Amino acid sequence: MSDELEAVIGLEIHVQLATRTKMFCGCELSFGDEPNVHTCPICLAHPGILPVPNEEAIAYALKIGLALDCEIAPRSIFHRKNYFYPDNPKAYQISQYDIPICGPGKLGEIRITRAHLEEDAAKTIHAGTSGRIHGSTASLVDFNRGGTPLVEIVTEPDLRGAAEAADWARLLRETVRQLGVSNVNMEEGSLRVDANVSVRPVGSDELGVKTELKNMNSFRFLQRGIEAELERQRGIVEAGGTIEQETLHFDPASGELTSLRSKEEAHDYRYFPEPDLVPIVPTEAMIAAARASLPELPAARQARYEGEGLDDAQARLLAADPELARYFDAVLAAAGAAEPRVVANWVTGDLTAALRAADDAERPEPGPVADLIGAVAAKTISHAGGKQVLAILVADEDADVAEIIEREGLAQMGGEDGELAAIVAAAIEGDPDAAEQIRSGNGRAIGAIVGAVMRETKGRADGGEVNRLIREQLGL
Amino acid sequence: MAGELSGILGHVDRISDLDLEGVEPTSHVVALENVFRADVPWTSLPPEVALASAPEPFEGAFRVPSPQAPVD
Amino acid sequence: MADLLDLTVAEAAAKIAAGEISADEYGAAWRDAAATDDLNAYLWRADGGPSSGDWTGAGESAPPGEGTETPYGAGAPAPADSGPLAGVPIAVKDIFTTEGVPTTAGSRILEGYRPPYTATAVRKLTAAGARVLGKTNMDEFAMGSSNENSAYGPVRNPWDRDRVPGGSSGGSAAVVAGGLAPAALGTDTGGSIRQPASLTGIVGLKPTYGAISRFGMIAFASSLDQCGPLTRDVADAALLLGVMEGKDPLDSTAVGLDGGVRLPTREDLSGLRFGVPKEIGEAALDPGVRAVFEATIARIEDLGGEIAEVALPHAEHGISAYYVIAPAEASSNLARYDGVRYGQRVGGDEDLVTMYEETRARGFGAEVKRRIMLGTYALSSGYYDAYYGQAQKVRTRIAGDFDAAFEQVDFVVTPTSPSVAFGLGEKTADPLAMYLNDFFTVPMSLAGIPAISIPAGLAAPEGAGDGAAGLPVGFQIAAPAFGEQKLLEAAHALEGALGFAAAAGDGVPWKQGGAADV
């Protein structure tokens, strides 16, 4: 974004819950089945039917709310959102309006406005030529999906860039995934992210006119779509024009934004409280059960690791992978005085590489890995030597680190005995030209001496220590 | 129709004269809360039954004119 | 044969259970009687007739295996051979879904529609042994007070075929009053059971909101609709209520009645207090109706009941509030009739919007369209607070008025209807005039409390000359929520003392062994 304008972005996320049955009836949720095999009079909206809410969906919504640090409404109700569309069989969607089950919360740095329960629409397939009725185009409606429970999460417009938005969306996805309440798969449609995008002068408090970007089905496309829209808006504003409120579709193939023929143009949904459903009043027991079922969530874990000195990338990686994080915690615990960042480097970097090289072998026990890290930290072996030990540990579970070091002769020459100092002295003597260059200030010449020492010690010397000894002996 | 509607509105409009400040609207007649259903599947309708009342069934789905204006 | 038709449901059920009469014979007698329908009261009859079938209760296309009942009422099994209603045929208002059997809600838009499931209230009756005798005519989607809004023609009052039976459960009232069914099921949203009961001289009960499941009852106004019996006497109403009441996993708002329902036995009213709203003094009432009302009050005192004056200051706004709330909810409930999944479709060759518009324009009658428009307006942005919001507040006040009254009295009593049965076509020109028929019944619906109408006497229609035949006048008794048992007991005692059927003598249509000229 240019210096004068800033991006203001909010997200609306729909999470399809992985309950066994639909929100208001007992039909099973479907996964690519034949059309209309998971329907009943209720989700087909026959005359006379009534909805009854799925207890598990309520519990999942509470879990999501607690994970997002939301205020849980002491009493919330359902509302009817009225509009005509073939995928909306009652011609109203049962949703929540001004009293949602979850109120304000936050995830990371981004504030959540609310999260509420509603039912999903059915699927309309536009039939094209094969389904033509007497020459006009037709659509075919499949009600399998109709009635699937959804939680809609709305953020405040706190995001300031496309990349930030995509990253935060990934964090949200990971958070919800770890709750076990949804498959949160954007390609399958169990996670849908829409973006509300606007721009305004930096320093302004007012919100500009926002446009809505819908139907992006990957985080990459979300980012690119927002980027394209910001670009478009900036162009208009800088040319002195005004932004029109509209709903847009981003085509990742062409990079183009098109205005969706809005079925909801200035729509009045005529919301009113759903008379067929009674209020949700979460009890202490319901909330306690939801809270007890929460795992340590990514945002909290990430914050914990950053606090322990891990860098951003490591913290995020571990936060996103609870199993790896547990392993890391175990290694760290066994590694005593080792620095968490160093342990993280080994676990997320070298170990991952070693496992991959060994055809996705299983991780060795945390104990030996901790030992190995300790040995490197104590300079007993070099980093390169450590990697060798690691490869052996990966291949042989029962190996003992001390034994490996001994057996492979990996013990490094450090500064504790004078052996290394003697070799350094000999190398300096053996290359007086290099020594002379170093003394005159050509730092790079040190490489020749270091090389000689390494050859003599067969790589077992600690590079840093060698450097130090050379300088010391040369009086630098 | 318009005349009839005006007449009716004229009558029902009388409630707007009432001072009902602070009165809670009745959104639910029965004082119930937390009436839920266990997340246990039931047998759905066989698709032929689901489509039995469809005005235009087509290949297992409900056919309707396209929401987009017809494109020929 | 005629004797069989004279029995009340309670009497017949007892005799069938005792083996004194045969269920088959009893059923056959009623099917034959139903076939003589010249009141246009039936839209479908079990066995014989224009759109009939031999319906035993199970669907014609029962999924998933014959007779395998699903929780949502598909594949409901045939009526039980035993139970409190074994062998008793009952007429059912065509607003209740009955699997495999045409269900129209009195509308063209559902012409030919056969539901894939059966309403809970009906399933409970058949599980108790009852059989569905037929589906009765009604005002379209329960919107009306005269049964002149049916797409299938008006129903006629058996007392005088040029007069209306009331509505919207006009067909159900006519079959019971006209000797075409021993009892019937109706629905009441603003008076649609009580008012036709009053106009046809039978008993009509609207239970507490939530006493009976609404699952399968085609919705008009969700927060007001209730299912109830139309019967010859209070004991039969109690019997049917007892069978139908209860919680239902398919209806979140159904709570049932704690303790169930016992057949009433009370014969006097001592110790009971009856509140007469002072607002009745000023109300627009036919003089004949007022006279019967006052005479009934005197009867209550004869039986030891105490009369007190109560105030229902907000009741006068009942019609206004009702005619905002009910159409608002109806506009949403009727939006599903769009030609997509069932019912009639018009304009399916055009584009989607045209299909929606044509289907609904052709499928709905004028009154339904009027209410949908009113309701849409009342809910629309900018008007919600002034209309729907305000009306729901009026409702709170009306309920509050009853709460206050019930601190002083056990029951509130009013005339059920301001007039006796009026002529066909007499009030159709002015919808507002028609709406005012519900003046006394609407407040109880808004408050959700139970109310019963029992026939209390005859009165000549207003303006009729001397010697004009008297037409039935109903007396309404309302009780606090869930007070059905006490209500039925009091109504039973009063009914006994009034002796309406005896007093009305040969004029009572059902005594004539089938529909006949009055």
Side-chain angles (χ1 to χ4, degrees), chain C residues 41-66:
Chain C
Y42 279 111
L43 295 177
W44 180 91
R45 279 178 294 108
D47 192 310
S51 60
S52 69
D54 187 18
W55 191 57
T56 58
E60 287 172 7
S61 54
E66 277 235 352

Side-chain angles (χ1 to χ4, degrees), chain A residues 27 39-53 79-80 82 84-92 133-134 136-137 141 143 268-278, chain C residues 72 97 110 113 115-117 209 214-219 222-223 249-253 328-329 332-333 335-338 340-342 345 348-350 352 356 360 376 379-381 384 388:
Chain A
C27 288
T39 69
C40 73
I42 295 159
C43 54
L44 289 172
H46 272 259
I49 54 89
L50 296 170
V52 182
H79 267 74
R80 292 190 186 180
N82 298 279
F84 284 93
Y85 208 67
D87 66 6
N88 187 20
K90 293 186 292 297
Y92 56 86
I133 310 175
H134 309 293
S136 40
T137 51
V141 194
F143 290 93
D268 179 4
Y269 293 113
R270 300 188 302 281
Y271 284 100
F272 69 99
E274 170 59 84
D276 293 331
L277 293 173
V278 301
Chain C
Y72 46 87
T97 57
L110 285 178
Y113 171 67
Y117 77 106
Y209 182 87
R214 291 182 296 120
F215 188 76
M217 217 168 91
I218 297 177
S222 314
S223 73
L250 299 165
D251 178 354
S252 313
T253 62
E329 293 178 7
S332 178
N333 286 326
R336 70 189 59 187
Y337 303 106
D338 56 11
V340 173
R341 291 146 288 117
Y342 47 73
R345 173 189 288 199
D349 297 351
E350 315 275 350
L352 186 69
Y356 282 154
R360 293 163 67 83
T376 306
L379 290 175
S380 57
S381 168
Y384 179 97
Y388 192 75

Side-chain angles (χ1 to χ4, degrees), chain C residues 440-457:
Chain C
F440 296 106
T441 50
V442 150
M444 294 75 177
S445 302
L446 289 167
I449 60 176
I452 193 168
S453 178
I454 61 173

Side-chain angles (χ1 to χ4, degrees), chain C residues 150-457:
Chain C
S150 169
Y152 302 96
V155 175
R156 290 153 189 283
N157 192 320
W159 290 76
D160 177 342
R161 275 159 179 66
D162 293 326
R163 292 179 181 269
V164 304
S168 61
S169 309
S172 287
V175 297
V176 174
L180 306 172
L185 214 56
T187 61
D188 189 310
T189 305
S192 292
I193 285 176
R194 293 163 283 159
Q195 186 253 20
S198 171
L199 267 49
T200 57
I202 58 171
V203 172
L205 169 69
K206 182 200 86 68
T208 307
Y209 182 87
I212 301 178
S213 168
R214 291 182 296 120
F215 188 76
M217 217 168 91
I218 297 177
F220 158 26
S222 314
S223 73
L224 296 160
D225 293 342
Q226 250 309 266
C227 159
L230 289 101
T231 55
R232 287 187 190 165
D233 68 8
V234 175
D236 278 358
L239 181 57
L240 262 54
L241 175 66
V243 167
M244 292 189 295
E245 66 84 17
K247 281 190 169 41
D248 185 8
L250 299 165
D251 178 354
S252 313
T253 62
V255 282
L257 295 169
D258 248 352
V261 180
R262 296 175 302 284
L263 288 184
T265 52
R266 227 189 141 114
E267 292 184 0
D268 74 298
L269 298 172
S270 44
L272 296 174
R273 298 159 299 163
F274 293 77
V276 178
K278 69 190 213 316
E279 291 77 15
I280 294 201
E282 306 255 309
L285 277 185
D286 279 5
V289 171
R290 191 181 289 277
V292 170
F293 181 71
E294 285 166 1
T296 312
I297 297 295
R299 257 321 155 82
I300 289 175
E301 287 178 306
D302 291 343
L303 287 170
E306 220 186 281
I307 304 292
E309 192 183 72
V310 292
L312 299 175
H314 296 88
E316 63 165 307
H317 298 291
I319 293 284
S320 303
Y322 176 80
Y323 279 100
V324 169
I325 295 169
E329 293 178 7
S331 71
S332 178
N333 286 326
L334 268 62
R336 70 189 59 187
Y337 303 106
D338 56 11
V340 173
R341 291 146 288 117
Y342 47 73
Q344 294 299 303
R345 173 189 288 199
V346 183
D349 297 351
E350 315 275 350
D351 60 281
L352 186 69
V353 172
T354 303
M355 184 191 85
Y356 282 154
E357 290 175 349
E358 300 263 296
T359 296
R360 293 163 67 83
R362 305 273 200 88
F364 288 142
E367 184 59 34
V368 168
K369 285 175 177 159
R370 227 179 334 258
R371 296 203 197 186
I372 290 176
M373 280 190 258
L374 261 176
T376 306
Y377 183 65
L379 290 175
S380 57
S381 168
Y383 295 97
Y384 179 97
D385 288 334
Y387 288 105
Y388 192 75
Q390 189 79 342
Q392 292 285 42
K393 291 183 178 187
V394 171
R395 188 174 188 172
T396 304
R397 277 280 184 261
I398 290 176
D401 285 355
F402 279 110
D403 286 343
F406 288 131
E407 298 202 347
Q408 305 169 252
V409 298
D410 300 296
F411 308 101
V412 169
V413 294
T414 75
T416 307
S417 165
S419 70
V420 296
F422 43 92
L424 285 159
E426 197 181 303
K427 296 196 183 183
T428 47
D430 182 4
L432 198 52
M434 188 67 86
Y435 295 167
L436 291 169
N437 284 310
D438 298 330
F439 188 80
F440 296 106
T441 50
V442 150
M444 294 75 177
S445 302
L446 289 167
I449 60 176
I452 193 168
S453 178
I454 61 173

Side-chain angles (χ1 to χ4, degrees), chain B residues 4 13 15 24 26 43 63, chain C residues 72 345 370 387 392 396:
Chain B
E4 291 159 345
D13 261 334
I15 60 175
E24 276 302 300
T26 302
T43 313
R63 194 161 62 176
Chain C
Y72 46 87
R345 173 189 288 199
R370 227 179 334 258
Y387 288 105
Q392 292 285 42
T396 304

Side-chain angles (χ1 to χ4, degrees), chain A residues 252-300:
Chain A
S254 65
E256 276 177 22
L257 291 157
T258 36
S259 193
L260 285 178
R261 183 197 308 257
S262 187
K263 70 186 184 200
E264 304 152 17
E265 247 157 11
H267 222 279
D268 179 4
Y269 293 113
R270 300 188 302 281
Y271 284 100
F272 69 99
E274 170 59 84
D276 293 331
L277 293 173
V278 301
I280 305 171
V281 178
T283 59
E284 299 253 335
M286 284 161 73
I287 298 183
R291 207 183 286 286
S293 70
L294 294 178
E296 185 192 25
L297 292 169

